[in-house]
Amino acid sequence: MPLSCIIVDDEPLAVKLLESFVTKTPDLTLLASFTDSVEAINAVKEQKPNLLFLDIQMPDLNGMELAHMIPSETRVIFTTAFKEYAFESYEVKALDFLLKPIRYNKFIDAIDKAREWFSTRNEALGRRTLATEETQERGTRNEDNPTAESEKEGN
């Protein structure tokens, strides 16, 4: 399943590293990168990426604050040098927490978690959609043949 992503980190070298990881990872598409978290807000809200690679300690607006402002369908993978934020990161429903310096194998592990999460979510949404369609179809049939419903009830 292809996933789209945006990178937000105030360190240009960290952005470049993550961009290189995204580029060499199949089915992962980079929509944009930002070194300014305030500039990133609108792009994330408009483009609604599947994933947001997000640093925590940034000037003006930190990653935790930004995580509370993103669309609900976007999932966060935090990228930070500060492990003390790990617990708090899961309170904003982060999929993963990558500690800098980030190694490619850890990046791939996080992407695998994301793929599994989105696959499970899509399966659940598909089942829910199918159930809704079946319910609507039964309702339409009953509207077309009102005696069928009363026959079921024993009338």
Side-chain angles (χ1 to χ4, degrees):
M1 163 187 187
L3 297 173
S4 61
C5 66
I6 289 179
I7 297 168
V8 184
D9 196 313
D10 62 323
E11 299 174 35
L13 289 176
V15 170
K16 292 292 179 204
L17 177 67
L18 288 169
E19 287 174 343
S20 74
F21 287 174
V22 169
T23 301
K24 64 182 179 181
T25 304
D27 294 329
L28 193 56
T29 304
L30 182 62
L31 301 178
S33 297
F34 297 91
T35 55
D36 183 321
S37 56
V38 175
E39 288 179 12
I41 296 168
N42 288 335
V44 173
K45 287 180 178 178
E46 288 172 12
Q47 296 183 39
K48 295 181 179 149
N50 300 116
L51 297 173
L52 180 62
F53 292 98
L54 184 58
D55 187 22
I56 295 178
Q57 283 199 341
M58 296 184 287
D60 300 324
L61 181 68
N62 73 43
M64 290 297 172
E65 293 167 329
L66 195 149
H68 286 285
M69 303 169 75
I70 64 172
S72 61
E73 59 268 20
T74 297
R75 289 287 164 234
V76 175
I77 296 176
F78 282 107
T79 59
T80 185
F82 303 95
K83 62 183 171 188
E84 60 266 22
Y85 292 110
F87 180 75
E88 187 180 354
S89 72
Y90 291 100
E91 291 178 352
V92 292
K93 300 177 183 168
L95 283 180
D96 212 339
F97 185 91
L98 297 174
L99 201 55
K100 294 176 182 177
I102 300 167
R103 295 188 323 268
Y104 186 64
N105 66 319
K106 295 293 184 183
F107 177 86
I108 290 299
D109 289 346
I111 296 304
D112 288 344
K113 281 184 191 176
R115 286 185 176 127
E116 183 177 327
W117 189 90
F118 280 101
S119 176
T120 301
R121 185 202 64 170
N122 290 345
E123 286 174 16
L125 289 175
R127 284 192 299 271
R128 197 173 315 143
T129 301
L130 183 58
T132 301
E133 289 171 356
E134 289 172 352
T135 301
Q136 290 172 343
E137 186 177 302
R138 279 194 299 268
T140 302
R141 279 196 307 251
N142 291 339
E143 288 172 10
D144 292 342
N145 187 2
T147 57
E149 191 61 34
S150 55
E151 287 171 2
K152 279 186 191 175
E153 295 171 3
N155 293 334

